[in-house]
Amino acid sequence: MDWTPYLAGLGIGILSWFTFLLSARPLGCSTAYARTSGMIERAIRGDSVLEKPYYRNFVPQIDWEWMLVLGIVIGAFITALVRGEFALIWVPSTFEAAFGSSSLLRLAVALVGGVLMGLGARWAGGCTSGHGISGTLQLAIASWIAVVIFFVSGIIVAFLLYGVIVPW
Amino acid sequence: MVESADSPLQRLRQNQSLQRLLGLVMGVAFGVFLQLGGVTSYDVIIGQLLLYDFTVVKVMLSAVAVGMVGVYLLVHLGLASLAIKPGSIGTTVLGGIIFGCGFAVLGYCPGTVAGAVGSGALDALFGGVTGILIGAGIFAELYPRLDASVLQRGKIPDMTIPELVGVQPRTVIVPMIILIIAILYGIEYLGL
């Protein structure tokens, strides 16, 4: 039996104690993208962007959660290097087995998926971290509903992609 | 024991630059655990959604079980407060369906995509992160219209399951932990 997923879960669970204790915040990732999007839009279109109602709620600035997401990149990078898992790849192997090795196709699909994910995460008010881990561990009703819908809808679309478009 | 307004803990929580540093440190730890657990990989996430690799469920459920006990203990000791996200049918359900579509098409989520970037996945960086930024920007643009139409529909109570049922948190936490252990035991028993 492989214990590493449980060790990782144990680590994330203990980490959540510290985010509540030291930072009075739950683990979450998706507002960092909304803030970054606002920062980019501000750089292009000027300060009028700050007047948008959404950016009045989520001010485009670097905060705790923004640094958390940056930290994830660094933490995963170090771990991947140490464990010899770091590899620059364009097309993941499961994708390649089903849809071929075109980097351009994978890039286009990932971009479309990313747009849906960014839109959906902000629409639902949280992601797999904010609702899926932090909300559920607090036993929040909306978060339990959210995570069930994330997975049910994800499972249906994954089966459509891998089962219908590309029959096994 | 309730924290007073100027306790060291409150001062720490209100120190913005220290919080940014703490965010970075906690993020590094989060990234280490995500990479260690294997969930920064497209193959693992898609394997979960295609129901042949249950790594994502193992990581998430064990994190939830461990987190739940500690966070509720901190709340009980007066050292933390819950931060419950509000929801509605219009936000949670509609947004959740869109999120799920993105989850399957991208094969990462907003946290794991950052970890995937760290592990060298270029599709995560140029496709995933770029797309999520665009999607979040689209939501910010649509927000006033959505808020005036669908987002307020079918309000979900801003409360926890124990509050809804009207029982002590431990009355829900203990069965929940037993249920999570049983599910994880079942997954291992089935070799998933």
Side-chain angles (χ1 to χ4, degrees), chain A residues 76-100:
Chain A
F77 173 69
I78 295 167
T79 311
L81 272 188
V82 169
R83 289 167 59 93
E85 292 164 348
F86 184 85
L88 289 174
I89 53 152
W90 274 105
V91 188
S93 57
T94 314
F95 186 93
E96 186 174 351
F99 305 103

Side-chain angles (χ1 to χ4, degrees), chain A residues 4-5 8 83 85, chain B residues 33-42 44-45 55 59:
Chain A
T4 46
R83 289 167 59 93
E85 292 164 348
Chain B
F33 297 133
L34 290 174
Q35 180 69 27
L36 192 68
V39 291
T40 58
S41 153
Y42 172 93
V44 170
I45 292 175
T55 305
V59 172

Side-chain angles (χ1 to χ4, degrees), chain A residues 2-160:
Chain A
D2 179 11
W3 284 94
T4 46
Y6 300 110
L7 281 177
L10 177 71
I12 295 167
I14 293 173
L15 177 63
S16 74
W17 305 349
F18 287 95
T19 68
F20 275 91
L21 180 66
L22 302 179
S23 301
R25 286 182 182 89
L27 280 174
C29 294
S30 67
T31 63
Y33 294 89
R35 291 184 204 276
T36 308
S37 201
M39 286 185 248
I40 294 168
E41 209 180 320
R42 185 186 181 183
I44 297 168
R45 294 178 30 192
D47 286 349
S48 64
V49 168
L50 299 176
E51 295 302 309
K52 280 192 176 182
Y54 196 71
Y55 293 134
R56 271 185 251 153
N57 297 347
F58 296 96
V59 180
Q61 63 188 16
I62 292 174
D63 67 341
W64 179 88
E65 189 169 313
W66 199 95
M67 296 299 285
L68 184 88
V69 175
L70 178 66
I72 294 174
V73 179
I74 299 168
F77 173 69
I78 295 167
T79 311
L81 272 188
V82 169
R83 289 167 59 93
E85 292 164 348
F86 184 85
L88 289 174
I89 53 152
W90 274 105
V91 188
S93 57
T94 314
F95 186 93
E96 186 174 351
F99 305 103
S101 59
S102 163
S103 305
L104 208 60
L105 177 68
R106 174 56 192 153
L107 178 65
V109 169
L111 196 61
V112 170
V115 171
L116 289 169
M117 164 133 288
L119 180 65
R122 290 294 77 226
W123 194 312
C127 62
T128 338
S129 311
H131 277 310
I133 294 176
S134 304
T136 54
L137 75 81
Q138 296 180 78
L139 297 166
I141 298 163
S143 296
W144 277 95
I145 296 172
V147 74
V148 168
I149 292 172
F150 291 169
F151 277 90
V152 169
S153 142
I155 288 166
I156 292 170
V157 176
F159 271 92
L160 287 176

Side-chain angles (χ1 to χ4, degrees), chain B residues 136-150:
Chain B
I138 293 172
F139 184 76
E141 186 66 37
L142 297 178
Y143 176 73
R145 266 171 288 168
L146 290 174
D147 194 46
S149 52
V150 292

